[in-house]
Amino acid sequence: MPRRPLRPTELPLNELATAYVQAGETLYLAIHDDIAARVRMAHPEAQHLEIGFDSDGDLRLHGIWGGQEPGIGHCRLLYDPQNDPQQAWRDGPLDIDELVSDLDRVLDASFLYRWGVVEPHPVHEYRDRRWITFPPADRPAAVAEIVRRHVPEAESLICRFEANHRGIAVGFEQLTLRGGEAVSIPCPRCSPETEESPWPHDVSHHLARILGQLYALPHLRSRHLTPCVEVTSEHEGQMWQLVFPYQPSASPKVAHP
């Protein structure tokens, strides 16, 4: 009987590549979330980190930043290690050395760059530095807020996820409105000239990043995304539904005598 040739795995190489990318995205997103949680314990308003690399290639933290201030148009610096000559952070709630070590680890691969959470510095004179954006504290609530800016009656979003060796692709299928009405979302690849999309293209791009992270992190996927077996689509990929957090109706006005 001829001997069966030995193979390192029974999985085809393209499936192995997909599994590798999915594992990397999950791991590095989880580390990124952990970094954000630790920084926010010390600086609750933190939304960005400013980092750079010295001449030896070592990572340096240049600042912890909040969001954009209303009426100012730029972010607010919450902590500047360069202006901490006593290095008070060594005795504070945030271990900067550990933070820098973890940042160096996640920036060593390209996973976070594909999610758009690591970008060039927004100020041109510091373009050699990197700007790291933290995820929303509540991703489902963030998606609901973005969608309801354009469709106030939206109750849930049905989308599809397709994972391959290039990462996770997100497509939008339909919105469910208050009262049960379903509204289809045109596919930009199938109908590139359509003007019926419920929101601009850049909003779709932003939503896809947050939804892709929800799908990539198993603990969030199981908690917030529900498979839709009854929804059919012309595209590949499993349909999932994200039910938005409850939106209370406006309180009725009470007439006073």
Side-chain angles (χ1 to χ4, degrees):
M1 181 177 178
R3 296 183 61 183
R4 185 181 179 185
L6 296 177
R7 291 180 55 190
T9 177
E10 296 295 329
L11 287 175
L13 289 180
N14 60 335
E15 293 185 23
L16 278 176
T18 298
Y20 170 80
V21 170
Q22 285 185 286
E25 288 182 329
T26 298
L27 173 62
Y28 284 80
L29 276 173
I31 296 174
H32 182 247
D33 277 18
D34 181 67
I35 290 172
R38 280 183 281 149
V39 172
R40 284 171 169 163
M41 286 183 66
H43 302 280
E45 299 178 7
Q47 292 192 29
H48 307 280
L49 295 179
E50 179 187 6
I51 62 101
F53 296 89
D54 61 19
S55 57
D56 295 326
D58 296 327
L59 188 145
R60 292 286 182 267
L61 177 69
H62 290 281
I64 298 174
W65 294 79
Q68 290 193 355
E69 294 291 303
I72 297 179
H74 58 77
C75 299
R76 182 164 61 94
L77 182 62
L78 303 175
Y79 175 71
D80 181 1
Q82 311 305 321
N83 291 332
D84 189 6
Q86 302 301 322
Q87 295 185 333
W89 48 264
R90 292 190 181 276
D91 298 319
L94 183 63
D95 188 327
I96 299 295
D97 288 338
E98 182 181 47
L99 174 68
V100 168
S101 177
D102 288 342
L103 285 170
D104 199 22
R105 179 183 180 188
V106 297
L107 295 177
D108 188 49
S110 61
F111 296 106
L112 294 185
Y113 294 88
R114 288 202 297 267
W115 289 114
V117 298
V118 182
E119 298 177 303
H121 198 287
V123 178
H124 188 268
E125 63 181 296
Y126 299 125
R127 296 295 275 185
D128 58 327
R129 299 181 183 178
R130 293 292 177 265
W131 191 250
I132 300 175
T133 300
F134 289 157
D138 186 334
R139 286 182 175 93
V143 171
E145 180 184 359
I146 295 169
V147 170
R148 283 171 172 160
R149 288 178 200 156
H150 303 273
V151 187
E153 299 295 309
E155 292 292 320
S156 72
L157 173 65
I158 296 176
C159 48
R160 64 187 181 275
F161 299 92
E162 184 180 354
N164 54 39
H165 64 278
R166 293 185 298 272
I168 297 172
V170 182
F172 303 100
E173 284 294 323
Q174 61 182 233
L175 285 168
T176 302
L177 307 184
R178 191 176 302 164
E181 180 185 356
V183 178
S184 297
I185 303 174
C187 171
R189 289 183 297 177
C190 302
S191 306
E193 303 300 326
T194 184
E195 297 181 357
E196 298 178 359
S197 178
W199 45 69
H201 178 72
D202 60 332
V203 174
S204 291
H205 193 57
H206 184 45
L207 284 171
R209 285 178 172 177
I210 303 176
L211 288 162
Q213 293 172 29
L214 271 174
Y215 182 83
L217 294 166
H219 65 290
L220 296 181
R221 184 197 317 167
S222 61
R223 186 183 310 162
H224 300 291
L225 295 175
T226 304
C228 298
V229 295
E230 74 282 359
V231 178
T232 59
S233 173
E234 298 178 356
H235 304 89
E236 295 183 2
Q238 170 70 51
M239 298 292 108
W240 297 77
Q241 183 178 33
L242 173 64
V243 177
F244 296 158
Y246 175 69
Q247 184 181 38
S249 302
S251 301
K253 295 182 178 180
V254 178
H256 295 280

